[in-house]
Every structure is written in structure tokens, then in C-alpha cells.
Amino acid sequence: MRILSQANGLQNSRPDRPSRLQPQSAQASSRHVETPTPRSVLSIRIFRMLWIATLVSNVGTWTQEVASSWLMTEMAPDPVMVSLVQAATALPMFLLGLPAGALADMVDRRKWLIATQTWMLLSAAVMAVVTLGGVMNPWLLLMGSFCLSVGTALNSPGWHSVTPEIVPKESLQVAVTLNGVVINCARAIGPAIGGLVVVNLGAGAAFLLNALSFLAVVFVLYRWRRDTPEEVTPTEPFFSAMRVGLQHVRHSPLMRVVVARTGILVFSSSVVLALLPLLCKEVFGFGARGYGMMLVANGLGAIFGATVILPRLRQHMNVNQIVGTAWLGYIPTLLVLYSAGHPVVLFGAMFWGGICNLCILSSFHLAAQSVAPDWVRARAMAVYLLVFFGATFCGSMFWGHLAREIGMHNSLLLGAVLLFQGLFTTLFAPLKTGEHLDHEPAHCWPDPEPRLQVPLSHGPILVTVEYRIAPSDAAAFREAMEEIRGIRYRNGVVWWNLFVELEDPNLYKEVYLEESWAAHLRQHQRISRTESELSDLAYRYHKGPGKPRVSHLAMSNSEFPNLKKPK
């Protein structure tokens, strides 16, 4: 399983956030007292422990990937069958990513991650036993890869959402870079070990090594004592949680850009990993060790990119410029593989591709993790990963079938053309991070005080907010309310609209529907400081006495309200 390292102490030693009562100037100065560095982030104990455990686990993962891909080239040397290994790895994330994200937001993430890591350990162990027993065949290999990836799919959204939860906001960029370093160290070490293990001990030994590597992560997660936030409302229903996750991404302009551009990049660039095993065997004339060294070169390039290139680029470029530059730079990798030149040139191309790929994906990961607030981050990451692995699955299937029809060289050339066309998204859909957003709850809405006792599960609930707007401000007010619309939908409302009273054209009513009374109370908890400030821009147009009047209406039926008749 490919995972990102997390950060924090065993007892959640995250520095306290500035108080809501602290002046903004004091908050700003407190944030900039010390610039986060890799050393300061690595000094947090659980980060360091998970960082090391992640290295061990990812080395095992890359060892398994090399063994699986090479074993398929020996049992069924066909472009489609070889690409199916990559597809079988990506399909579970496409199918299970969103439900996994909803579950990770609903249950204790630590226990959930221990369970998913254990599943992957057992899956890899079964593959090792089957292979060492001499009964492995192409379809059992695909089935085993699929089962192992089911664990990855269930694990990934929760795992990725832990980093922003336990790393101070100002250290998130450094933490994401360190995640990239450790993952790409594994990319450099794992394939080399995988090639050696496959050549000397066979694929079964590589699968067994991967199974043992999961023990490191399970041990660290077991030792982590996570602070579980106290819930004042019932756990969100499963299907409702999935709906809200999709809805949040749909109505988040920043997240939509991340998801769309990730899909375009991954689909186009997946031609490399989908066809590389067969290219090494049939075109370049490499053995299992040579295939492993190609992946090592790619991993070394990523390490160099994370430690040397990316920090320097961040000093002079914004995240969109970094992605655009690296995106353009990745195209020559495909062209060199297309030309099938000297081995040194091929290794150099993979090294260069690793640099570019790291710069792009690190920027995408940072944007995705920083845009979503804590309460929905696992679901937002699930949508991001769903698109990532969905594009990998579709791309692997597409390039495998295309290579059978037009050849592997022409497929690489077409991949380069698609990447070049996707480069225009840098202009039309610029990437931004959410580091400027304050996701902390604003607690700016007073708790409703209904005269009727409303069961938390009762619904739907209709909420109206009345604004008195001067005719000269009407156009600007309606424009400002579009931002309110996005906020309401991102926080989970079912339906929203704005009405004007015909008998009194200066009276506007914002109306929105929520699933239940508990869902409405969650709105009060979810409104962030940034969203509160944006809401104030619309509320300032209100000319009536006091604040806009808010009314809550609950659906009336045979069970509600349950008013006892007087005796």
C-alpha cells in the first residue's frame, strides 16, 4: 500500500491554535515566530515514528509491485494482461474510495487504520503462500492484487486526512514535502530490492516481505493515542455522509480544479507505468533487475526533486506555476521512452520524470489537503483519490488495449500529445492551495432555542433568513448571496434558494432545507472563520433593525409535534 506519512506526538502534541479572543495581529505574529523546518516537524515523535514506518511499508509495497508486474510478464506477456495488474490495483479505489472516506469521517480513524493495515498484511501473506506453493496463475495474481488494493482503498482517505489534523497549519507544506521524500525514498529502494528478491528468491519471497512490512505501521498506530473530538450531535448517517462529501467537492471551486487537473494528468501519464514492464522486457531488453533499476531512477529523481528542486521553485513560483512547469517538463520523458535510446538516456529520462512527477503530485496533495476543513477532509480526499485511481484504472486499460492495436511506441507518443493538450489547464483552471483559509469553527451562530422539543432525527428542517435590502444594493446583495449559496451547500444543506417578496420588494428571504434537526445543528458547528467573514459581506447589505431574522420550521406529521391535550 502506498501511504503518506503523518505527523504528531503519541499524545497529539499539536501546538495550541491561537485563541478566538486573541487579536488578529497577535495571532499573525504568533504564527510567524518560527518558520517550520523539516527538523522541527521531524522532532514531533509520532511524525518521526510514522515517517520511518511509512518508509518500511512503502519499500515492501514497491517490492510487491515489481514482483507482481514481472511475474505477469512471465506468465502472460501480453500488453493487456500486464496493464491489468495496474488496473486491478486502481479499481478498488475507484469503487470504494468515497464510502471509505465517509467511514473514516464517522469512526475512530486510528482503529480504522489499524483494521485496514491488518487486512493488507493478510492479503499479502495469502499471495505469498499461494506463490510459494506453486499454484499462482495470472487470474489469481490479479485477484490477489485486487484484494490487497481493497485495503489500500479503505485505508487511504483516512490516512491522508490525518496529516492536516495533527500537523500545525503553518507546517503542512513542510509535512507534505517530507511525505514525498519518504515515499520516494521507498520508490528508490523498493524496486531495487524487489528486482534482487525476484531474481534470487522469486516473487513469493517479495510478497512475504511486503506482508511483514505492514507490521511496522500497525505497531506505530497501536502506540498512537489520538485525541478523539467530543461529538455533540449523533454520528452522521452513512449515505448522508457520502452525499455531503460529494456535495462539498462539487461546490468548492478550489477542490474542483484539483480534482479535474489530477484526472487529466494521471490518465495521460499512466501510459508509462502501464507499459513499462513490457517495454523493459521486449523493447529495451532489460531483465527484472533492469526494470527495478528504471523504477529506482524514477524514485531517485523524485527524491532529488523533493529535497532540492521543489523547495527552490517554491521560493520563486506559486503552486500553479510549479505544476505548469513540471507538467511541460514531464513530456520529454515519454518522448525519450518512445525513441528507445541508450540505457543511460533511458535511466536519465526516468530520473527527470521523477523530478517532474514529484513537483506535480506534491502540489496536488498540498492543495487537496489544505482546501477541505477537518470535518469533511477524509471524504474530500476520498473524492480526490477516487479520481486519481479512477484515472489510473481507465488509463491503464486504455493504454494496454491501445498498445495491442498500434504498438507501445505510438502509445507513448499519443500520451505525450495528451499531456501537452492538458497543459492549457494551467491558464484556464489555475491551481490554488487553501493555506490562506481559516477552517477553525467560528462559533458565530447562536444555538437555536425552539419552544418545541425537536428529536435530533426529525426532519426535514426548513430554515429561512430575512434580509431587508435597499433597491440600490439589490444587485450587489444577490451577487454576495451566491457565495452564501456555496457555503450552505458545502456544509451539507439539501436545497437552497433566494426569494423576494412580491408585496414588499425590499424583503428577501434565504430559504434552505436540511435533512434533520441534527444536520442543522452540525451547520452551527461547521461554519468556519473564513466562511463567517464571507457571510458578513452579504449580511452588511441588511438595512433592517438588528440582525437578519432567522426562522426554523420542522415538518409536521402524525408524530411531530407530539402535543399533549390538556385534561
Side-chain angles (χ1 to χ4, degrees), residues 23 42 189 253 339 353 364 413:
L42 283 170
I189 301 170
S339 64
F364 282 159
L413 184 61

Side-chain angles (χ1 to χ4, degrees), residues 7-14 43-50 110 166 217-228:
N8 208 0
L10 288 177
Q11 295 293 333
N12 256 15
S13 57
R14 181 177 183 166
S43 66
I44 304 172
R45 188 181 179 195
I46 192 64
F47 181 90
R48 186 171 62 253
M49 291 178 68
L50 277 172
R110 171 181 163 274
I166 57 180
V217 181
V218 172
F219 173 76
V220 175
L221 288 172
Y222 179 78
R223 293 287 308 277
W224 175 32
R225 296 296 176 260
R226 176 175 180 255
D227 291 336
T228 305

Side-chain angles (χ1 to χ4, degrees), residues 52-222:
I52 296 171
T54 300
L55 175 63
V56 174
S57 180
N58 277 269
V59 167
T61 296
W62 279 103
T63 301
Q64 170 123 3
E65 290 203 6
V66 170
S68 297
S69 298
W70 198 256
L71 185 59
M72 184 61 82
T73 65
E74 293 181 341
M75 294 189 298
D78 177 77
V80 173
M81 293 301 294
V82 174
S83 65
L84 277 176
V85 176
Q86 188 80 7
T89 302
L91 181 59
M93 179 58 70
F94 183 71
L95 298 175
L96 302 175
L98 187 58
L103 287 170
D105 276 332
M106 293 168 60
V107 302
D108 187 299
R109 286 178 186 165
R110 171 181 163 274
K111 295 178 180 177
W112 177 254
L113 293 175
I114 291 174
T116 56
Q117 292 285 328
T118 304
W119 169 274
M120 289 184 282
L121 186 157
L122 295 175
S123 298
V126 170
M127 291 184 69
V129 170
V130 172
T131 305
L132 293 173
V135 294
M136 180 64 79
N137 61 52
W139 296 107
L140 283 177
L141 178 61
L142 292 176
M143 186 182 300
S145 300
F146 181 86
C147 290
L148 183 59
S149 189
V150 166
T152 305
L154 296 175
N155 178 86
S156 291
W159 186 277
H160 288 291
S161 65
V162 168
T163 302
E165 174 189 340
I166 57 180
V167 177
K169 182 178 179 180
E170 60 272 15
S171 300
L172 182 59
Q173 189 176 91
V174 176
V176 170
T177 301
L178 286 171
N179 289 336
V181 170
V182 74
I183 289 173
N184 288 292
C185 283
R187 287 177 62 186
I189 301 170
I193 295 176
L196 291 173
V197 172
V198 170
V199 169
N200 295 292
L201 301 175
F207 298 157
L208 181 60
L209 182 63
N210 185 37
L212 295 175
S213 71
F214 288 112
L215 290 174
V217 181
V218 172
F219 173 76
V220 175
L221 288 172
Y222 179 78

